[in-house]
């Protein structure tokens, strides 16, 4: 069975600091995609960043970057220069490249950015 | 594009009543997902469709839950009869292609009293 594990239920950091959210996953697939989603208090699910497993280069999107370690099945999210607006629930997600399967989410990490 | 549209945004109903949640996916997207979010269990995939065909409904909790997708632009999730433990936020999401991310609606907050 494919699983996604986020080991940090909740985190708090000061504004402008850098924070890293952890995610590990389990799969026998070789080709797949990984995502980080953000869910602010508005409840809307927003895609933050996406990584294709066949790409060795870590994805980057402005202040958001990932550390993708395929052998270790690890996919952490780094937020640099954190801002108050980054306060949200963050979900790690996985989907195999074959679409006849599901997008599986971790249980989320609640991140608080403190002023 | 207006994005994934869900209705209603909020629903309060009495135990035993039938509840129908509605979803209009983004035009051109081939896959549609129904998720349920609770504090205890996080985001659970209930069912997903590909080209209007249900592919995996193993996440549907009980026979009280059913989902349909009569055409590419509309899906429903029905709970009959509803129970208090069904109270949650229900999300619909759609996806255009293999490996593409899912685009979420704003969710329906269901409260069963």
């Amino acid at each position: 069975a494919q699983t996604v594990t986020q080991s940090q239920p909740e985190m708090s950091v000061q504004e402008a600091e850098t924070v890293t959210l952890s995610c590990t996953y389990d799969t026998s697939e070789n080709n797949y995609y990984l995502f980080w989603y953000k869910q602010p208090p508005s409840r809307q699910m927003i895609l933050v960043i996406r990584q294709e497993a066949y790409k060795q280069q870590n994805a980057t999107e402005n202040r958001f970057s990932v550390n993708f370690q395929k052998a270790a099945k690890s996919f952490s999210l780094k937020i640099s220069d954190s801002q108050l607006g980054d306060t949200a629930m963050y979900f790690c997600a996985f989907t195999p490249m074959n679409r006849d399967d599901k997008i599986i989410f971790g249980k989320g990490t609640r991140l608080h950015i403190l002023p | 594009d207006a994005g994934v549209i869900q209705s209603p945004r909020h629903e309060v109903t009495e135990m035993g009543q039938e509840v129908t949640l509605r979803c209009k996916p983004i035009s051109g997207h081939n896959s549609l997902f129904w998720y349920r979010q609770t504090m205890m269990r996080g985001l659970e995939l209930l069912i997903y469709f590909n080209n209007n065909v249900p592919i995996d409904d193993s996440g549907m909790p009980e026979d009280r839950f059913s989902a349909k997708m009569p055409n590419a632009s509309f899906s429903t999730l029905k709970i009959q009869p509803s129970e208090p433990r069904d109270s949650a936020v229900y999300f619909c999401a759609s996806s255009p292609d293999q490996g593409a991310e899912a685009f979420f609606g704003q969710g329906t907050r269901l409260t069963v009293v």
Side-chain angles (χ1 to χ4, degrees), chain A residues 95-110:
Chain A
T95 185
M97 193 170 285
N98 176 1
R99 177 43 87 192
D100 286 340
D101 212 326
K102 34 191 130 176
I103 300 177
I104 302 165
F105 285 82
K107 290 197 181 300
T109 296
R110 187 172 299 280

Side-chain angles (χ1 to χ4, degrees), chain B residues 2-112:
Chain B
V4 176
I5 299 172
Q6 290 187 247
S7 64
R9 290 291 308 279
H10 306 275
E11 177 80 28
V12 180
T13 190
E14 291 186 345
M15 182 174 64
Q17 296 296 308
E18 175 181 305
V19 175
T20 298
L21 311 181
R22 296 173 176 79
C23 175
K24 177 179 167 49
I26 294 173
S27 177
H29 283 196
N30 298 322
S31 295
L32 183 140
F33 308 85
W34 282 101
Y35 288 90
R36 177 172 69 176
Q37 185 178 28
T38 60
M39 289 290 290
M40 291 297 295
R41 301 170 72 92
L43 263 171
E44 302 172 274
L45 178 65
L46 301 177
I47 185 171
Y48 80 97
F49 297 83
N50 187 259
N51 291 322
N52 313 339
V53 176
I55 302 300
D56 185 345
D57 65 355
S58 61
M60 296 285 263
E62 301 171 33
D63 290 345
R64 298 184 296 106
F65 287 69
S66 62
K68 294 182 179 179
M69 191 166 186
N71 56 62
S73 59
F74 184 66
S75 176
T76 59
L77 178 68
K78 183 181 294 186
I79 308 172
Q80 181 186 24
S82 57
E83 296 182 4
R85 60 193 167 117
D86 301 332
S87 296
V89 178
Y90 290 81
F91 284 100
C92 176
S94 68
S95 176
D97 211 349
Q98 287 190 9
E101 64 269 23
F103 293 77
F104 282 76
Q106 292 195 294
T108 296
R109 181 177 293 281
L110 172 66
T111 304
V112 183

Side-chain angles (χ1 to χ4, degrees), chain A residues 11-109:
Chain A
M11 298 180 71
S12 296
V13 296
Q14 294 292 135
E15 192 177 7
E17 288 185 351
T18 294
V19 59
T20 299
L21 309 183
S22 301
C23 173
T24 58
Y25 57 95
D26 188 24
T27 182
S28 57
E29 300 281 341
N30 189 47
N31 295 316
Y32 48 87
Y33 298 86
L34 295 159
F35 309 100
W36 278 98
Y37 281 84
K38 170 184 176 180
Q39 187 181 38
S42 67
R43 190 168 91 196
Q44 181 69 51
M45 292 284 285
I46 303 163
L47 179 71
V48 174
I49 201 165
R50 161 190 166 148
Q51 175 81 43
E52 292 88 345
Y54 60 85
K55 289 187 178 178
Q56 291 186 338
Q57 186 173 6
N58 289 323
T60 298
E61 196 70 41
N62 300 316
R63 297 182 296 108
F64 298 86
S65 61
V66 299
N67 183 2
F68 173 48
Q69 302 289 330
K70 190 172 183 180
K73 296 181 182 174
S74 170
F75 183 61
S76 61
L77 175 69
K78 185 172 82 171
I79 306 174
S80 303
D81 186 25
S82 57
Q83 301 175 359
L84 296 179
D86 297 333
T87 292
M89 194 78 165
Y90 286 82
F91 293 95
C92 179
F94 162 95
T95 185
M97 193 170 285
N98 176 1
R99 177 43 87 192
D100 286 340
D101 212 326
K102 34 191 130 176
I103 300 177
I104 302 165
F105 285 82
K107 290 197 181 300
T109 296

